[in-house]
Amino acid sequence: MAFSEIEDYVDEISYSSIDYQMYIRDGVPLIDEKKNNNFKTYGYLIKFKKGSEKKAYDVISKTEPFDLYEWMEITCNGEDCKVLKGKDIEKGSSLPEDTTGEFYGHFDSLFNEALELIYSLTKKRIFNPKQVLVQI
């Protein structure tokens, strides 16, 4: 979601797939650590510029919720790659409704209806995010 933060480190992006199953927890896609040759998860393989890899991973590590994710090394298109796999995948996760293995955040209600509802409640002053932040 924070691609703009790593964009300067990117050399190449290609569409690819991996033989790992994807689950969804609270609207967040999680990759299972067990290889599954009967399932493909599709997404984008991002290659970083030589010498920029550590900086890019540092940025990603600062923006991702590591109570949900951890790094895992796999092979993708014959190359060593890193993916963010889900921690405790069996707890509160479910298979995506779309069984194609592709995750589209712009179709997810968490990123659409929920944000629109929060915005409308904020405008009507029914919901004040500052109060919620103070209460937490």
Side-chain angles (χ1 to χ4, degrees), residues 50-118:
K50 291 275 187 213
S52 296
E53 300 90 348
K54 183 179 178 340
K55 291 177 187 175
Y57 285 116
D58 287 346
V59 170
I60 294 168
S61 294
K62 288 177 185 172
T63 58
E64 291 301 328
F66 278 92
D67 53 329
L68 294 178
Y69 295 113
E70 61 188 7
W71 289 111
M72 176 174 78
E73 292 191 18
I74 64 169
T75 301
C76 179
N77 297 343
E79 297 182 65
D80 292 336
C81 301
K82 290 184 182 180
V83 297
L84 289 169
K85 76 169 186 92
K87 286 184 178 178
D88 300 319
I89 200 91
E90 67 283 347
K91 294 181 182 175
S93 301
S94 61
L95 292 172
E97 291 178 21
D98 178 0
T99 58
T100 63
E102 296 191 63
F103 176 77
Y104 298 101
H106 59 274
F107 292 135
D108 191 297
S109 60
L110 179 67
F111 298 109
N112 289 295
E113 291 89 358
L115 293 177
E116 289 172 16
L117 176 62
I118 290 169

Side-chain angles (χ1 to χ4, degrees), residues 2-3 5-14 44-61 71 79-83:
F3 180 77
E5 300 293 320
I6 62 167
E7 190 171 12
D8 290 341
Y9 307 123
V10 173
D11 183 40
E12 181 183 332
I13 300 174
S14 58
Y44 292 90
L45 178 62
I46 300 172
K47 293 182 182 179
F48 298 116
K49 296 174 185 172
K50 291 275 187 213
S52 296
E53 300 90 348
K54 183 179 178 340
K55 291 177 187 175
Y57 285 116
D58 287 346
V59 170
I60 294 168
S61 294
W71 289 111
E79 297 182 65
D80 292 336
C81 301
K82 290 184 182 180
V83 297

Side-chain angles (χ1 to χ4, degrees), residues 22 29 36 41 43 70 76 92 118 121 125 129:
M22 179 178 60
N36 183 342
T41 295
E70 61 188 7
C76 179
I118 290 169
L121 293 175
R125 301 207 184 275

